[in-house]
Amino acid sequence: MLASHEWLKALSGVQISAQEMAEKLTSAGLEVESLTRKGEGLDHVVVAEVRAMRPHPAREKLRLVTVFDGEREQEVVCGAPNVPAPGGRVILAKLGAVLPGNFVIAERELGGVISCGMLCSEGELQIGPGGEGIFVFGEGDPAAPGTPVADALCLHDVVFEIGLTPNRPDCLGHIGLAREVALLAGVPFSAPLAPAPQRLATGGEAGWQASATRFELAFAGEAASRVPAPSSGAPVRVTIEDAVRCPRYGAALVHGVTVAPSPFWLRYRLQNLGVRAISNLVDATNLVMLEHGHPIHGFDLARVKGSAIIVRGATPGESMQTLDGTTRQLEAGDLLICDGERPVALAGVMRGLDSAIRTATRDVLRHRRQRRVG
């Protein structure tokens, strides 16, 4: 598994180097097989402020952007569609910078104009998937022009690849590893407490926004638990039929949400740990999974049929289409999370495509299945 040194330091409270932490983990039987340093090799890549912008005199799709790099103004040629207005801040690779792939930034003539640098995207710096356009800092970001991008975006980290053995499922998440680090360093450990769900309202507005119910836990052998639904819908019944492989199941509703990109720090953390960022709602479940070591799924409540969640084994001949678009033929040993009509997730493995969160999602049913350990 992959683990973040910076995240383990924050969770454990143990401020030691990556090499020392790796040695301590390895000595305890959690073998660190490799260390990969992140945020290095970005010398001369800094935060810059856009001062002016004008059309390129010879190339219709290019613009000439004047930026201030903390020391002086310079003009660069840029074809990105999202260059911000003057006052906005971007990432500038100055002359002499060497980007991933050994791409050297030098003066280049583009359509008869000399470009003295390059405005960069996440993909060009290999700090994100990239996509269309350059990286633009948010209005509230405190990074000043001239700040090295590795410092401005907190890119410095070391990723451990740990050869986890089957007898240590407690270390499948960062909290378990942080507990081990604290023990090895001889310091007390306190797991971070999740804040109690709150109803959030925008100032002066009537009604609720991004309201969350508390988690309802269903235990095998009990009567079905009911997770309260928004006032417009019926409650969701949670039933466990396979008590051996699922002794407990937790579910909660979050309604009135808006699907949007996650903040950069979250996208970057997921990327470093081998998880593709998708949206704020999906990324939040993946972050909690990496933290606690328990898979968490989020369903679009509008696509959960029958107002029911049922945890059961697959029946012979049953199939489902998973999130990757593959139709899978299920076997009797497969554990499923189902709604009132069909499977919506292969438990602990992958969600189904039909109930996945999408751009139009407004109400989310989140769940966590408790594994049986030992």
Side-chain angles (χ1 to χ4, degrees):
M1 67 168 289
L2 301 180
S4 159
H5 174 235
E6 290 297 322
W7 200 2
L8 291 178
K9 286 198 302 181
L11 290 170
S12 67
V14 178
Q15 303 299 311
I16 57 178
S17 69
Q19 187 62 45
E20 186 177 356
M21 187 178 290
E23 291 172 357
K24 286 183 178 295
L25 289 170
T26 299
S27 69
L30 301 168
E31 183 180 3
V32 177
E33 299 174 345
S34 67
L35 291 81
T36 303
R37 299 188 179 277
K38 302 291 184 178
E40 296 187 343
L42 295 177
D43 300 332
H44 307 300
V45 181
V46 302
V47 178
E49 180 183 315
V50 175
R51 291 287 175 86
M53 185 164 43
R54 60 191 177 94
H56 190 288
R59 300 283 182 85
E60 181 181 352
K61 294 184 178 180
L62 299 180
R63 286 176 286 182
L64 307 182
V65 185
T66 301
V67 294
F68 175 63
D69 65 4
E71 297 178 347
R72 62 188 181 90
E73 290 187 356
Q74 51 195 307
E75 191 170 62
V76 298
V77 179
C78 184
N82 64 327
V83 177
R89 280 161 299 156
V90 295
I91 297 176
L92 170 69
K94 300 166 66 175
L95 297 179
V98 181
L99 303 189
N102 202 33
F103 181 71
V104 180
I105 302 299
E107 287 189 355
R108 283 180 169 80
E109 181 180 331
L110 297 169
V113 178
I114 298 296
S115 180
C116 299
M118 186 176 82
L119 304 187
C120 301
S121 68
E122 293 180 22
E124 288 161 337
L125 300 180
Q126 293 186 6
I127 59 174
E132 295 185 4
I134 59 175
F135 185 95
V136 178
F137 288 86
E139 292 183 2
D141 196 292
T147 305
V149 68
D151 295 335
L153 294 177
C154 301
L155 300 181
H156 296 295
D157 198 359
V158 177
V159 175
F160 302 142
E161 184 173 1
I162 301 176
L164 201 63
T165 51
N167 65 321
R168 295 306 305 269
D170 57 307
C171 291
L172 283 169
H174 278 68
I175 284 183
L177 288 171
R179 182 184 294 109
E180 197 76 13
V181 169
L183 174 66
L184 294 168
V187 302
F189 175 75
S190 297
L193 296 176
Q198 298 178 4
R199 294 185 180 274
L200 304 176
T202 56
E205 292 184 13
W208 302 107
Q209 184 177 19
S211 302
T213 70
R214 63 187 177 88
F215 263 86
E216 294 289 335
L217 296 178
F219 292 88
E222 291 186 345
S225 296
R226 292 178 179 270
V227 183
S231 57
S232 59
V236 178
R237 301 183 309 279
V238 179
T239 306
I240 297 174
E241 294 184 357
D242 191 326
V244 174
R245 289 178 294 172
C246 181
R248 186 175 69 173
Y249 183 98
L253 284 172
V254 183
H255 49 92
V257 300
T258 300
V259 178
S262 295
F264 173 78
W265 71 265
L266 175 50
R267 303 197 311 270
Y268 184 65
R269 176 164 289 178
L270 292 180
Q271 172 175 290
N272 285 347
L273 297 175
V275 179
R276 181 171 61 94
I278 297 174
S279 70
N280 51 354
L281 304 184
V282 177
D283 296 348
T285 63
N286 286 331
L287 183 71
V288 174
M289 176 189 69
L290 293 170
E291 184 177 29
H292 290 270
H294 289 280
I296 292 180
H297 295 312
F299 303 121
D300 184 335
L301 182 64
R303 305 169 87 180
V304 175
K305 300 181 182 297
S307 298
I309 289 291
I310 303 167
V311 185
R312 63 171 177 82
T315 58
E318 196 169 15
S319 66
M320 69 172 294
Q321 190 175 28
T322 48
L323 195 59
D324 59 359
T326 302
T327 299
R328 302 182 184 274
Q329 297 300 318
L330 304 174
E331 300 179 358
D334 294 328
L335 184 65
L336 302 177
I337 310 300
C338 306
D339 62 14
E341 297 182 8
R342 85 280 197 219
V344 293
L346 192 56
V349 179
M350 192 179 297
R351 289 173 294 158
L353 184 62
D354 291 342
S355 59
I357 292 172
R358 50 185 175 163
T359 304
T361 297
R362 292 296 173 264
D363 302 311
V364 176
L365 177 67
R366 296 189 185 275
H367 87 86
R368 187 181 82 175
R369 175 182 68 89
Q370 179 66 49
R371 291 192 193 91
R372 181 176 293 280
V373 178

